[in-house]
Amino acid sequence: MKLSLNWLKKYLNVSYTPEKIAEMLTIIGLEVEGIEKVESIKGGLKGVVVGEVLTCEKHPDADRLSVTTVNIGSGESLQIVCGAPNVAAGQRVMVATIGTELYTKEGEAFTIKKGKIRGTESHGMICAEDELGIGDDHSGITILPSETKVGTTAAKYYNIEDDYVFEVGLTPNRSDATSQLGVARDLLAYLRVNESYNEDIKDPDLSGFVTERVGINIDVEVLDKVSCIRYTGITVNNVEVKDSPDWLKKLLVSIGVKPINNIVDITNFVLNEMGQPLHAFDADKIKDKKIIVKKAELGSEFVSLDGVTRKLDNEDLMICDAASQPLCMAGVYGGIDSGVSINTKNVFIESACFASKGIRKTSTRHNLRTDAAKIFEKGSDPNITEFAMKRAAALMRELAGGAISNVIVDVYPKVVKTVEIRLYYANVNRLIGMEIPEDDIHSILQAMDMEITPLDDESILVKVPTNKADVIREVDLIEEIVRIFGLNRVPVPSQIKSTISYTNKPDKHKTKELLSDFLSSIGFNEMMGLSLIESRHYTDLEIAEKSQFVFINNTSNIHLDIMRPDMLVSGLVSVSHNLNRQQTNLSLYEFGKSYKKEGQKPVVSLLQRCGIFQYQISEIEGSNRFSYGLKIHRGPLVIAEFGEIKKNVCQKMSIKTTLYFAEISFDTILKLIGKEKIQVQEISRFPSVRRDLALVIDKNVKFGDIEVIAKQTEKKLLKQIALFDVYENEQQLGADKKSYAISFVFEDTEKTLNDTEIDGIMVKMVKQLEQKTGALIRK
């Protein structure tokens, strides 16, 4: 967010340098990523002073010009030729002296120089409003009150003060620091504790909130009381929509907000001042003068403020009129037909609190990352909606001449109360790493507007304000304490203690690198998926039980709401992402973890490269993930499972191509490494020979059965047997039948095998398979 120093000074009486402010903000966890100087008036009017016109005579060669002598308090009068029709002797005026740099409306610089105008020397310029940059009037020079002191600088006279804007990096949990006033309160706590600052914060003035009996009021009905936590509103009648005053424009521009008109600018001002998003409706455009807050109908359309027609989801919360026509996407974006225009006379101010999860989903679904949505998704404070509404209404009364209705709408079905946390002094000292006196702990908490109640000698009860949505546990409270106390005050130990480290065999990290190098060397690319995933991907899939999901409170990215329960679906997310970008030749692997509430083992990769040779291979049956596949195991200990992913799983991720997936337990590999003696033999100088067989067999025949028969038939030359395809089709193969495609690799270390030898072996192999399994060889 952008923080204005001039804006900050409206709440705190401070005179620190921008650099000191940045240092203090960083100490309390608001990292300052940059500081920008913003000139109130470009150039700062350096060289412009108050002068007194001593004489004024017509130019001898030009009736429209006057030749003046001007006293600027320097001891010597200046002769200045002036073309303004209103210049006269005795006036106090603004004089730009030679060398002064001024700017046009377009921002182009021009320098005041000594020159001749119609043959008469001129040593400066008597300025009009627009030439000074303080207004748009160019009808004549600016005439000041007669008592204005000669020689006063323009910067002092106009109270020109440059602003400094801090770019503050907010972490997702800092819902209390999304506004100028929020940061001021946080800084106030630090100043009270560390800088002996004794003044209170200057809250926004509500003295202008004066209500009247007026003709138009808006009724509100909230149908979705879960998504809409609180809805506050009021009508301001007979407003005049026009440009905002300069002070308001300058504050908005300083933080990068473009001024629109006085009504819209007031809502943006209050949003940035207090962290409470507002929306201003044209009250005359609200049908039957009633607002209904409810979820949209799936597929219904909404034309947003940018003119885009958007298809709505049934999870999108909408602000509708009495006819259920959408006026606004709640907490995210306004509609094109209900907003304020130059013709607006009556305004309805919405000041609401919407549930963060729904706002995040809607804003990301429609790619509308607005300032309002960013605040709501961090968790806005429901207990400031009325104050913010009154602040906006008072400003509209002041700046737009409106009359405030005496009817306040406030729908707040379930009041959000302060969180109460028991804080143990011992835990504070233990986690921070130093002892903080109890009185200091009390002072810090009270400086953050937290109420404390003693419970016993060891603990206190702390009430946390509702603007700190993330402070819900004792450890969160301790983090707040150390922020304000100052991490820079926590001493760094003068001694470093260490122990000799060693690694038990097998080395987990070396094994991982070994496998990673091997997979990369044969053409695989390593991927790194998030440990977080959307639970919706598992809807209608029986891959993982919902009861085993590990849900998380992810405030920065709400749709990523669970830890991934397996590696498959997160891998499919990566595959889908690549396929959608025309990357079709994919061979991917990942080392990672999966998370379940019960019994889920971490997953990773490979076998024989680790010296694991003794295992069994069985066909996977009844899998919710694989159409067909194999598992490698030692008895009940599963080492790996791999196979073709079921079509419905791929379709769930919008993937149409055939995919294969292997899941290998890295923990199991680590348990088995070193249990077998590694045997080394010379690599054969003679080529191997591969033959394939397609067998139609009963479904109860396992690949392991075929493997045993094959190895018994040919013990010397058969080096490898692999299942590379499984096919089932009752109409083509018959009931309870399946087809296996199996490869056999033969090799002789002493000579090259010929076809006659291989054919003989295959004949024996086929005969044994037919006799022992009833296999039918597909030609």
Side-chain angles (χ1 to χ4, degrees), residues 82 128 134 190 197 238 251 301 476 530 615 675 693 713 719 763:
C82 179
I134 61 171
Y190 177 84
Y197 185 87
N238 302 318
L251 284 175
E301 293 185 345
D476 301 326
L530 290 174
Y615 48 78
K675 303 296 184 182
L693 277 182
T713 304
K719 301 301 181 183
V763 169

Side-chain angles (χ1 to χ4, degrees), residues 401-456:
I404 305 171
S405 169
N406 63 347
V407 177
I408 295 176
V409 176
D410 190 6
V411 182
Y412 198 4
K414 187 177 180 180
V415 176
V416 177
K417 299 180 180 179
T418 56
V419 174
E420 295 185 349
I421 301 173
R422 186 170 188 172
L423 179 71
Y424 289 87
Y425 301 121
N427 289 341
V428 175
N429 299 330
R430 178 177 59 84
L431 289 177
I432 293 177
M434 64 173 292
E435 185 171 344
I436 300 179
E438 293 177 10
D439 288 344
D440 288 355
I441 293 174
H442 298 166
S443 297
I444 292 170
L445 294 172
Q446 290 168 338
M448 291 187 288
D449 295 327
M450 297 184 185
E451 296 180 21
I452 59 174
T453 304
L455 294 178
D456 51 40

Side-chain angles (χ1 to χ4, degrees), residues 637-706:
L637 183 64
V638 177
I639 304 171
E641 291 185 337
F642 53 93
E644 180 185 329
I645 303 170
K646 281 189 170 182
K647 300 299 182 186
N648 69 309
V649 177
C650 292
Q651 289 169 359
K652 178 71 176 177
M653 306 302 297
S654 301
I655 297 173
K656 297 179 180 178
T657 188
T658 300
L659 289 180
Y660 298 89
F661 175 71
E663 183 175 84
I664 306 168
S665 174
F666 190 53
D667 279 356
T668 303
I669 287 176
L670 292 175
K671 291 177 182 177
L672 297 178
I673 284 179
K675 303 296 184 182
E676 302 177 33
K677 292 183 179 180
I678 298 177
Q679 297 179 348
V680 179
Q681 62 185 29
E682 183 181 0
I683 297 175
S684 176
R685 294 176 292 127
F686 304 100
S688 60
V689 178
R690 170 174 166 163
R691 292 290 174 87
D692 295 341
L693 277 182
L695 308 174
V696 178
I697 54 179
D698 292 337
K699 282 188 176 181
N700 60 0
V701 177
K702 310 301 181 188
F703 173 72
D705 301 332
I706 296 173

